[in-house]
Amino acid sequence: MYEPIRTKSVHTMADTADADFPHRSREEELDIQLAGHLAALLTVTDELRALAPSADLDTAAQRLAGQVTRLRGGVTPVRATTAARGSEPRITALHRRAHALAGRALVVAASRADTAAAILSAERMDAHSAALADPREPITTG
């Protein structure tokens, strides 16, 4: 009534396939994720630096670049250059995006137990929260 199984089990195939390609450890995967989140945060920070230059953003960009370089094994991140033109709503949107990216980086850094990256991410979250709470910048709903 039933046809016999002619192929190997998926589990058996997975065991033999492991030798065919290299696997990354959990720590390596978390390093890649964390470097990606911090690189994205660096890009937004560079954009904010072009629109609203400040010493705090300059320092943050240097520290973020250092962390990304460390996590990528010495490979320096590509830096964005943006023309300095923008409006207050654009700056507010960038602060919101940076806050979200810093939050993601904080979660990954905490699960990886990377204290330096976690502290930097938390500081950036605080800085962008403060920028969003600043009454000089109009905050739109939505």
Side-chain angles (χ1 to χ4, degrees), residues 49-125:
R49 286 175 56 220
L51 297 173
S54 76
D56 178 52
L57 289 173
D58 292 342
T59 303
Q62 288 174 351
R63 291 177 63 200
L64 287 166
Q67 288 295 319
V68 173
T69 301
R70 176 183 63 87
L71 290 166
R72 289 186 176 166
V75 178
T76 57
V78 177
R79 302 292 296 268
T81 55
T82 307
R85 61 184 167 173
S87 62
E88 292 297 322
R90 171 116 172 98
I91 292 171
T92 301
L94 286 171
H95 279 297
R96 284 189 179 137
R97 176 139 175 82
H99 184 271
L101 288 167
R104 289 184 190 120
L106 178 59
V107 169
V108 176
S111 68
R112 189 186 169 279
D114 187 333
T115 307
I119 290 170
L120 177 58
S121 299
E123 289 173 357
R124 296 318 309 150
M125 282 183 73

